[in-house]
């Protein structure tokens, strides 16, 4: 992710395109990316979360600060990367933090703590 940010900051559009997952490159709008990179002043990158190094797929949540036409902006994105052919590839992303999935446990479901008891008789007894 840091290398991609640096590529935006130095207007290295070739590198940005080369790090996009091969099957996603047809969606890569080179002119739009180049216009944004060239017109912007890149002011900093904060990585908020990244996958563990032993994973083959992961999300990187980041905030990039940039100026455009004299105004300050934040680009907050959660990007999905896939590890293939001994390197990480950008797959896609969503604006903002990645939505977190929460599974609701019913009173009569098995307790998620692994005790084998019903939730209402285990961890849910105090709830």
């Amino acid at each position: 992710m840091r290398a991609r940010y640096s590529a935006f900051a130095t207007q290295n559009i070739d590198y940005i395109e080369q790090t996009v997952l091969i099957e996603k490159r047809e969606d890569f709008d080179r002119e739009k990316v180049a216009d944004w990179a060239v017109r912007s002043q890149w002011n900093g990158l904060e990585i908020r979360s990244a996958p563990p190094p032993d994973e083959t797929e992961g999300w990187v949540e980041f905030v990039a600060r940039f100026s455009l036409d004299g105004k300050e902006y934040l680009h907050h994105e959660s990007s999905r990367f896939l590890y293939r052919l001994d390197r990480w590839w950008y797959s896609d992303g969503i604006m903002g933090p990645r939505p977190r999935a929460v599974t609701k446990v019913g009173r009569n479901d098995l307790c998620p703590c692994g005790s084998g008891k019903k939730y209402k008789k285990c961890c849910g007894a105090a709830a």
Side-chain angles (χ1 to χ4, degrees):
M1 185 62 236
R2 285 180 177 85
R4 286 178 54 85
Y5 171 82
S6 295
F8 271 98
T10 60
Q11 295 111 38
N12 186 347
I13 309 310
D14 289 337
Y15 180 82
I16 297 167
E17 185 174 17
Q18 290 165 5
T19 58
V20 172
L21 194 62
I22 294 167
E23 52 266 34
K24 301 276 185 162
R25 285 195 193 154
E26 66 187 34
D27 298 330
F28 184 78
D29 188 338
R30 187 178 177 86
E31 289 181 26
K32 184 177 177 182
V33 171
D35 181 60
W36 185 33
V38 169
R39 292 184 26 210
S40 299
Q41 165 90 33
W42 296 91
N43 303 320
L45 175 68
E46 174 190 353
I47 303 290
R48 295 202 171 163
S49 67
D54 57 342
E55 296 292 322
T56 58
E57 178 177 344
W59 289 85
V60 175
E61 181 184 349
F62 69 93
V63 176
R65 294 188 325 274
F66 68 98
S67 304
L68 181 65
D69 299 328
K71 293 182 183 176
E72 297 286 322
Y73 293 94
L74 295 177
H75 179 81
H76 186 178
E77 182 178 328
S78 291
S79 299
R80 186 165 60 116
F81 287 84
L82 303 174
Y83 192 78
R84 295 185 182 163
L85 304 172
D86 295 325
R87 67 183 280 191
W88 285 99
W89 301 86
Y90 173 83
S91 176
D92 52 14
I94 56 172
M95 295 304 293
R98 182 170 60 115
R100 308 296 193 245
V102 177
T103 304
K104 185 172 180 178
V105 180
R107 289 178 36 80
N108 289 315
D109 293 338
L110 289 177
C111 191
C113 76
S115 69
K117 297 178 184 177
K118 287 185 178 182
Y119 180 69
K120 68 182 178 185
K121 296 284 187 180
C122 191
C123 295

